């Protein structure tokens, strides 16, 4: 590399318009070398020296890259670099400064994204405001917002309140910087929409409006859809509130964003951009209806059932990801939307909507598969809330669907318990015609059966079997007291006898099997105790038994013993219920003439 002073003397004699590309490259090379050696003060002195201002005006914009990277790395005190940048921004051509700063924003070092974005946005705001023509202003704002949002989306989202406060990666501060950046341009749009005289032309205003809306919608998806909002004093709450204020302020009404979707042709796949827009709207619905942010701007003319119908599409979308943040937001949005609807008011036709089929199926998956306990618990609560909002006919159809499709004893048991509540006047008030007579019998045909007949695993299907027996016992007592017509009673008894016959056979086989396994386990324990006394360390394998999707051999011996004992007690309880049910049928038959 040529000697620094020799090069500077040559450049001082060169007119500004005579500098070539190799001069720009050499200037960047020498500036970078100085910064790498920690000589940022030397760079600043060079830039500020009066005799070098012609050089700075011609070549200085190229030094913005090395200077910004050095500031972002935070290896040394950035005061000299920041002063150098400030001087270059004031001295060089605005377009050159803008293009160089934008390049740094678009190509941040992975480890310095937060610091770079936070530092560059205020500078770029001032530079964009200085762009001479309106076209440059419109294009400049859009380019900066797109680059900044892209970089912000790369930052990890804090999960806990403490992580949000420490903000190690700078995401929260980046969100605040984005809101600060758009403020002057937002005022331009608001001024134009209010009909006041503005120096900025209409097409540019429309471009600014579109770019600001694009930023808001992109930010709803990343980072707000992943973020946890801990309350009005949290950074993400402030960011979300800012976005929810901006949208209606620039004439983008929230109902229009939420409830209007461009139509797609039949069979046309959802594009990536459209998919991202749906995710943004799902977050918008969550912020509005769950967190109640900007709820005061939302019209009250929409019926709760209509809002529920629209939000169920967003709930279904949120359930497609297995992230805790998405699932939690989906559950909360579904819960709040259902709570606003009157109990027993949703008609059967609503079940024909796709989202009203997929959401319950998603809830079943959450209740049965999700490993996060509080999410499973909330899933069950929302599932029950959904049932409560259906009218009698809709409940009847929904129960039939769940009994046919859930394939999970716990879910089936919960559905059967709800059927019992519907036929119990003390629980449901007036009993619906859909839960008496022939409609009820059609449900019982699905309830009073064992999936694999006498070979069914009663321990695995315990929840369903116990609820079925409780329902049958209740019905027999109820029908006996109400002197139901003979035809209904006969059909009920026929269903009961058929069910109990298979159940007794299954109970006998299951009790024999588990008693045998318990005996084997005890013998194995004795043998192992004997082997240990003889200082042998061989392990005796235990026959595998599936217990609610967990292999018994994967449990400790104590756990195996408890499960087997519990199974035998459960079978005894089932047997006692079967005996009681048979007594109720025999008593009714004995009283008939």
């Amino acid at each position: 590399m040529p000697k620094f002073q020799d090069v500077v003397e040559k450049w001082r004699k060169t007119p500004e318009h005579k500098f070539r590309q190799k001069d720009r490259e050499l200037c960047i090379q020498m500036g970078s070398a100085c910064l790498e050696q920690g000589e940022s003060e030397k760079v600043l002195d060079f830039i500020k020296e009066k005799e070098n201002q012609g050089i700075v005006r011609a070549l200085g914009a190229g030094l913005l890259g090395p200077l910004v990277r050095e500031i972002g790395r935070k290896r040394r005190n950035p005061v000299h670099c920041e002063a150098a940048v400030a001087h270059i921004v004031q001295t060089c051509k605005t377009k050159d400064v803008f293009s160089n700063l934008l390049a740094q924003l678009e190509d941040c070092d992975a480890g310095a994204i937060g610091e770079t974005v936070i530092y560059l946005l205020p500078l770029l705001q001032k530079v964009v405001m200085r762009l001479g023509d309106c076209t440059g202003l419109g294009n400049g704002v859009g380019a900066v917002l797109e680059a900044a949002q892209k970089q912000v989306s790369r930052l990890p989202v804090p999960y806990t309140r403490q992580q949000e406060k420490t903000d190690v990666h700078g995401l929260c501060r980046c969100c605040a910087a984005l809101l600060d950046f758009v403020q002057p341009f937002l005022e331009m749009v608001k001024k134009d929409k209010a009909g006041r005289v503005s120096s900025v032309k209409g097409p540019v205003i429309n471009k600014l409006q579109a770019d600001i809306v694009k930023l808001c919608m992109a930010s709803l998806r990343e980072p707000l859809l992943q973020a946890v909002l801990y309350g009005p004093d949290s950074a993400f709450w402030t960011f979300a509130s800012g976005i929810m204020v901006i949208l209606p302020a620039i004439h983008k009404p929230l109902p229009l964003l939420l409830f209007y979707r461009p139509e797609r042709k039949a069979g046309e796949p959802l594009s990536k951009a459209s998919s991202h827009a749906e995710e943004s709207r799902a977050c918008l619905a969550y912020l509005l209806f769950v967190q109640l942010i900007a709820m005061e701007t939302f019209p009250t003319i929409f019926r709760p059932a209509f809002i529920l119908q629209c939000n169920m599409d967003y709930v279904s979308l949120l359930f497609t990801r297995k992230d805790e943040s998405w699932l939690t937001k989906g559950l909360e949005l579904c819960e709040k939307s259902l709570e606003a609807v009157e109990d027993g008011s949703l008609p059967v036709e609503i079940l024909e909507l796709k989202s009203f089929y997929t959401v319950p199926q998603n809830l079943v998956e959450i209740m049965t598969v999700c490993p996060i306990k509080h999410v499973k618990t909330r899933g069950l609560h929302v599932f029950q809330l959904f049932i409560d909002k259906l009218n009698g006919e809709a409940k009847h159809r929904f129960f039939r669907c769940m009994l046919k499709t859930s394939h999970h004893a716990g879910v089936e048991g919960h559905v059967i318990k709800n059927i019992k509540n519907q036929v119990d006047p003390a629980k449901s008030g007036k009993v619906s015609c859909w839960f008496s007579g022939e409609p009820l019998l059609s449900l019982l045909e699905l309830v009073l059966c064992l999936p694999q007949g006498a070979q069914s695993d009663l321990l695995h299907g315990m929840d369903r079997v116990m609820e079925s027996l409780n329902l049958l016992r209740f019905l027999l007592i109820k029908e006996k007291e109400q002197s139901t017509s003979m035809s209904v009673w006969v059909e009920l008894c026929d269903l009961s006898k058929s069910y109990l016959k298979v159940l007794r056979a299954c109970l006998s086989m299951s009790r024999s099997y588990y008693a045998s396994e318990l005996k084997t386990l005890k013998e194995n324990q004795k043998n192992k105790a004997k082997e240990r006394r003889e200082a042998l360390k061989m392990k005796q394998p235990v026959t595998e038994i599936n217990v609610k999707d967990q292999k018994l051999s994967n449990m400790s011996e104590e756990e195996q013993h408890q499960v087997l004992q519990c199974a035998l007690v459960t079978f005894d309880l089932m047997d006692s219920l079967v005996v009681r049910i048979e007594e109720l049928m025999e008593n009714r038959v004995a009283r008939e003439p």
Side-chain angles (χ1 to χ4, degrees):
M1 186 184 298
K3 287 186 177 181
F4 179 74
Q5 198 57 43
D6 293 343
V7 173
V8 170
E9 289 297 332
K10 177 185 174 184
W11 282 348
R12 284 174 178 170
K13 299 174 184 178
T14 306
E16 292 179 28
H17 65 280
K18 292 287 187 176
F19 283 99
R20 294 171 294 178
Q21 182 60 32
K22 68 176 184 178
D23 295 318
R24 295 183 178 87
E25 293 173 358
L26 182 58
C27 181
I28 294 171
Q29 189 177 7
M30 290 193 297
S32 299
C34 287
L35 293 173
E36 284 295 326
Q37 295 167 14
E39 297 178 340
S40 58
E41 187 175 4
K42 183 177 179 180
V43 175
L44 177 61
D45 291 341
F46 168 78
I47 288 172
K48 283 197 167 185
E49 191 171 339
K50 187 175 181 179
E51 294 180 357
N52 296 336
Q53 295 313 293
I55 301 173
V56 174
R57 283 192 294 272
L59 306 178
L63 292 174
L64 288 172
L67 287 166
V68 169
R69 285 194 292 273
E70 182 66 20
I71 293 169
R73 290 169 185 158
K74 299 184 73 173
R75 296 185 298 184
R76 306 176 184 93
N77 191 325
V79 61
H80 296 133
C81 292
E82 289 175 352
V85 169
H87 186 80
I88 291 172
V89 168
Q90 291 297 322
T91 304
C92 295
K93 294 178 181 179
T94 302
K95 289 186 177 180
D96 291 341
V97 171
F98 174 77
S99 61
N100 278 275
L101 290 179
L102 181 62
Q104 294 309 305
L105 185 61
E106 291 173 334
D107 190 27
C108 296
D109 290 341
I113 293 174
E115 295 300 327
T116 304
V117 171
I118 293 164
Y119 176 68
L120 285 179
L121 282 180
L123 281 175
L124 281 164
Q125 183 191 65
K126 295 175 183 177
V127 173
V128 169
M129 295 289 286
R130 281 168 40 198
L131 288 174
D133 54 26
C134 292
T135 303
L137 173 66
N139 294 335
V141 171
V144 172
L145 290 179
E146 183 177 0
Q149 210 290 321
K150 182 179 178 181
Q151 295 299 340
V152 168
S153 68
R154 295 169 61 192
L155 293 172
V157 179
Y159 179 74
T160 66
R161 185 66 178 269
Q162 184 59 36
Q163 288 174 346
E164 182 183 312
K165 286 182 177 179
T166 54
D167 195 25
V168 173
H169 300 284
L171 176 59
C172 299
R173 286 172 290 146
C174 285
C175 291
L178 279 170
L179 288 180
D180 290 340
F181 177 85
V182 301
Q183 287 309 309
F185 314 110
L186 175 63
E187 290 302 319
M188 292 179 188
V189 177
K190 289 165 65 177
K191 185 176 180 180
D192 180 82
K193 298 301 179 182
R196 287 178 282 172
V197 178
S198 172
S199 60
V200 184
K201 298 178 181 178
V204 177
I205 289 294
N206 294 337
K207 179 74 166 59
L208 288 175
Q209 181 187 30
D211 289 334
I212 294 172
V213 170
K214 184 178 179 181
L215 169 74
C216 291
M217 299 305 285
S219 298
L220 286 169
R221 180 176 175 269
E222 292 178 322
L224 288 176
L225 198 52
Q226 285 80 30
V228 180
L229 275 63
Y230 287 104
D233 61 335
S234 75
F236 288 123
W237 181 286
T238 303
F239 186 50
S241 299
I243 288 174
M244 298 292 277
V245 168
I246 288 172
L247 290 170
I250 57 176
H251 288 236
K252 284 295 178 181
L254 299 182
L256 180 66
L257 291 169
L258 282 171
F259 303 145
Y260 171 74
R261 299 181 181 86
E263 291 188 8
R264 288 186 293 126
K265 296 179 182 179
E268 181 183 356
L270 192 66
S271 67
K272 186 175 181 180
S274 298
S275 175
H276 289 177
E278 283 292 292
E279 292 170 4
S280 298
R281 285 193 284 266
C283 186
L284 183 66
Y286 169 79
L287 295 175
L288 182 65
F289 296 110
V290 178
Q291 299 294 344
L292 304 180
I293 298 176
M295 193 64 186
E296 67 279 1
T297 68
F298 191 77
T300 59
I301 60 173
F302 299 103
R303 292 184 299 110
F306 173 76
I307 294 174
L308 170 66
Q309 182 178 328
C310 295
N311 283 347
M312 285 295 265
D313 290 331
Y314 298 129
V315 172
S316 180
L317 174 64
L318 291 169
F319 284 162
T320 58
R321 285 268 290 270
K322 305 311 175 189
D323 294 350
E324 183 181 352
S325 174
W326 284 51
L327 292 177
T328 301
K329 285 180 172 63
L331 288 169
E332 290 178 353
L333 179 59
C334 190
E335 180 180 10
K336 292 296 182 182
S337 302
L338 285 167
E339 285 177 348
V341 176
E342 185 181 351
D343 284 357
S345 64
L346 296 179
V348 68
E349 291 79 14
I350 208 165
L351 295 178
E352 296 175 7
L353 299 175
K354 182 180 178 182
S355 59
F356 280 79
Y357 173 79
T358 56
V359 168
Q361 297 295 333
N362 294 144
L363 289 171
V364 168
E365 186 177 4
I366 290 171
M367 292 187 292
T368 57
V369 178
C370 180
I372 307 171
K373 185 176 180 180
H374 71 89
V375 176
K376 290 168 73 84
T377 303
R378 191 154 205 163
L380 176 60
H381 170 71
V382 174
F383 185 75
Q384 181 59 53
L385 193 60
F386 180 82
I387 292 173
D388 294 340
K389 303 304 174 180
L390 302 174
N391 68 15
E393 184 179 3
K395 282 187 176 75
H396 187 276
R397 181 182 292 188
F398 181 71
F399 293 158
R400 290 183 64 86
C401 176
M402 284 292 106
L403 288 170
K404 290 179 178 180
T405 62
S406 68
H407 307 301
H408 189 278
V411 176
E412 292 164 353
H414 189 76
V415 169
I416 295 168
K417 184 177 181 180
N418 270 274
I419 295 174
K420 179 177 176 292
N421 290 340
Q422 291 303 307
V423 299
D424 185 356
K427 298 284 181 66
S428 62
K430 184 180 178 182
V431 177
S432 168
C433 63
W434 289 94
F435 291 93
S436 61
E438 290 299 326
L440 176 60
L441 289 171
S442 70
L443 267 181
L444 292 178
E445 289 176 359
L446 296 174
V447 172
L448 302 178
C449 66
L450 292 172
Q452 284 83 40
Q455 304 298 322
S456 299
D457 184 348
L458 288 186
L459 190 59
H460 180 72
M462 175 180 64
D463 295 331
R464 174 185 176 132
V465 173
M466 292 300 294
E467 290 296 345
S468 298
L469 291 173
N470 282 326
L471 171 61
L472 184 54
R473 175 179 168 275
F474 175 81
L475 286 173
L476 291 171
I477 294 173
K478 177 190 171 193
E479 300 301 323
K480 174 183 174 182
E481 292 173 351
Q482 294 183 353
S483 299
T484 306
S485 65
M486 194 64 184
S487 60
V488 174
W489 173 260
V490 169
E491 193 163 349
L492 178 60
C493 286
D494 287 344
L495 284 171
S496 304
K497 289 176 182 176
S498 175
Y499 177 61
L500 295 180
K501 181 180 178 181
V502 178
L503 182 57
R504 274 204 173 281
C506 193
L507 273 171
S508 177
M509 293 174 63
S510 298
R511 184 183 284 110
S512 174
Y513 177 73
Y514 281 96
S516 172
E517 290 299 327
L518 184 59
K519 182 180 178 181
T520 301
L521 179 64
K522 290 179 178 179
E523 290 176 354
N524 286 340
Q525 289 174 331
K526 290 179 181 179
N527 291 336
K528 286 182 180 180
K530 183 179 179 181
E531 290 170 357
R532 280 193 294 268
R533 287 193 298 268
E534 296 171 358
L536 296 175
K537 296 183 179 180
M538 296 175 60
K539 291 187 177 180
Q540 183 72 22
V542 181
T543 305
E544 292 184 352
I545 312 169
N546 284 332
V547 180
K548 295 207 170 187
D549 300 329
Q550 185 178 6
K551 290 182 186 265
L552 198 59
S553 60
N554 292 336
M555 304 177 186
S556 67
E557 290 185 349
E558 183 179 352
E559 289 173 330
Q560 293 178 45
H561 188 274
Q562 290 176 351
V563 167
L564 294 171
Q565 286 282 19
C566 178
L568 294 175
V569 171
T570 300
F571 299 151
D572 290 339
L573 183 57
M574 290 180 185
D575 198 33
S576 66
L577 276 171
V578 170
V579 170
R580 176 58 179 150
I581 290 168
E582 288 174 340
E583 288 176 354
L584 289 170
M585 290 191 293
E586 290 170 1
N587 291 340
R588 172 66 183 253
V589 172
R591 290 192 297 107
E592 294 295 332

